[in-house]
Each structure stands twice: as structure tokens, then as C-alpha cells.
Amino acid sequence: MEDKIKDIISVFIKVPSDQIGPATAIGRTVVKNSILLHRMYARLQEEGIVVDNYSQIQTFSDLLGRAGANGNGRAPGEEAGGLYEAAPAAVQVVGTRQGGASIGVDIEEIAAFPVTHDFRKEEFYKMNFSPSEIAYCI
């Protein structure tokens, strides 16, 4: 599984997978475009690796700790409530953390978004938009 994660991440951080180690940076310092960061985690989710608060992940070892923690992307003892919480229908719902809201505005080129024939089935769109938002855009 670790090799599969490295293969996925290597595409987004532009480092060969065999050169990715525990201290390899994989957060916002490396993947500067937030759409690419969301796409990276959507791609991981397609492989069954769900991380509900990836804004906290800075290194490859951080990701492994989250991905292997409880099978749900949370560190041991951590409660639900991160930015992206898996809902029963595998739809990602935006939420807030206690002690502060997680609100932001991103302006991105539409060309950077994944091309798909069905926005309701593409993990990137399911992670970042509610079903009603997807329906409205369709």
C-alpha cells in the first residue's frame, strides 16, 4: 500500500516515487495549487485512502500515520470533525473544527479541474462539492 501511495503522490509533488521518504514534504509548501492538492487527496481516496483533515499533513510520514491509523484517516483517539468528513454515501461534507472556522475562497482555472463525464462519480467533485451544488452546476 505504501508504494501505491508513493506512486500517486509522486505525480503531484514531482518527485520520483523511489525518492519519497518519511521526511518528504507533501503539503501546501510543495503542492502550491489548492486544486492540485485536492486532486491528490481525491486520487488517494479513489484507492481507498481517506484522510478527513489533510490540511494538517505536511510530510509523507504524517500521511502514513493518518492513512494507517484507524483506517479512516484519523490519528488514534482523534474525533471526527475535520474539514472533510466521510458521509455514509461517500460524499465529502465541508465542516468546521472547534475553535475556528475553515472558510476560504479559491480562484482557480477551470482547466485545472478533472475532466469527467459524470461529476457525481468523480472523487474530486464529491470531495469538494455537495450533491446539491453538483446538481445545480449540471
Side-chain angles (χ1 to χ4, degrees):
M1 179 63 91
E2 186 173 327
D3 288 337
K4 184 182 286 190
I5 294 171
K6 286 181 179 182
D7 290 340
I8 293 168
I9 289 173
S10 69
V11 172
F12 294 92
I13 66 171
K14 297 181 179 20
V15 171
S17 61
D18 61 345
Q19 293 180 14
I20 295 174
T24 302
I26 64 168
R28 291 288 300 217
T29 59
V30 179
V31 184
K32 303 224 184 262
N33 180 315
S34 63
I35 294 298
L36 288 178
L37 191 66
H38 293 307
R39 286 181 76 177
M40 181 174 79
Y41 283 98
R43 179 69 185 97
L44 287 167
Q45 184 165 326
E46 288 172 359
E47 295 297 325
I49 302 146
V50 179
V51 180
D52 68 349
N53 189 3
Y54 54 80
S55 65
Q56 304 296 317
I57 295 174
Q58 301 301 316
T59 65
F60 185 67
S61 65
D62 292 344
L63 175 62
L64 289 182
R66 293 281 183 147
N70 299 319
N72 62 7
R74 289 187 207 105
E78 182 181 12
E79 293 184 24
L83 290 177
Y84 299 95
E85 179 58 33
V91 174
Q92 299 300 317
V93 180
V94 176
T96 60
R97 286 197 148 255
Q98 202 170 15
S102 297
I103 299 173
V105 176
D106 290 341
I107 299 174
E108 300 289 342
E109 291 186 42
I110 292 175
F113 283 43
V115 176
T116 185
H117 294 290
D118 190 347
F119 297 100
R120 297 165 295 189
K121 294 182 180 177
E122 171 69 39
E123 287 300 326
F124 171 82
Y125 295 102
K126 291 185 339 184
M127 285 177 67
N128 292 289
F129 300 98
S130 70
S132 61
E133 289 173 322
I134 293 170
Y136 175 79
C137 291
I138 290 172

